Amino acid sequence: MLFPENSNTEFSENIRDFYTGFVTIAKKYYKETGKEVLFYPVYIDKDKHNVTIGDSTRYDSSKDFKEERDRIAHYLRDYIDNLANIQKQE
């Protein structure tokens, strides 16, 4: 489990922006195994004692790494932010 939030930058009232360096794990894993990593967004609601796991996104080794790194980090950040908004409405 990775916690890529940057404590110095806010994205929304629910979540901080993400460092993107964690995606390097996928690049290294692919180089070692030939397998592409799946990343899952996870939202933990402390007040409701609830954990929600969203739809995964796969590291695509055929794409430019910097673009993939940013795509994955933004996908996860945005998905978790949406999960937080849904939880607040319930």
Side-chain angles (χ1 to χ4, degrees):
M1 184 168 282
L2 304 169
F3 298 94
E5 285 184 276
N6 178 349
S7 61
N8 298 319
T9 60
E10 281 193 37
F11 173 70
S12 74
E13 66 183 41
N14 303 315
I15 193 168
R16 300 201 177 273
D17 209 358
F18 280 11
Y19 288 113
T20 59
F22 72 93
V23 180
T24 304
I25 291 169
K27 183 178 181 179
K28 289 181 179 184
Y29 187 79
Y30 179 78
K31 186 176 179 180
E32 294 289 324
T33 68
K35 297 178 183 176
E36 294 176 335
V37 172
L38 290 173
F39 289 94
Y40 290 86
V42 177
Y43 175 69
I44 301 170
D45 187 325
K46 295 176 191 175
D47 296 331
K48 295 181 181 178
H49 305 283
N50 188 20
V51 176
T52 305
I53 301 171
D55 298 325
S56 66
T57 188
R58 180 183 306 273
Y59 169 71
D60 187 343
S61 61
S62 70
K63 303 257 173 96
D64 176 73
F65 175 71
K66 289 180 181 179
E67 290 177 15
E68 255 320 79
R69 178 192 66 198
D70 292 344
R71 181 192 67 79
I72 290 169
H74 294 154
Y75 172 85
L76 296 171
R77 180 201 62 201
D78 294 347
Y79 203 120
I80 293 168
D81 189 44
N82 287 333
L83 289 173
N85 286 325
I86 290 168
Q87 288 292 322
K88 286 182 176 184
Q89 293 174 7
E90 293 180 349

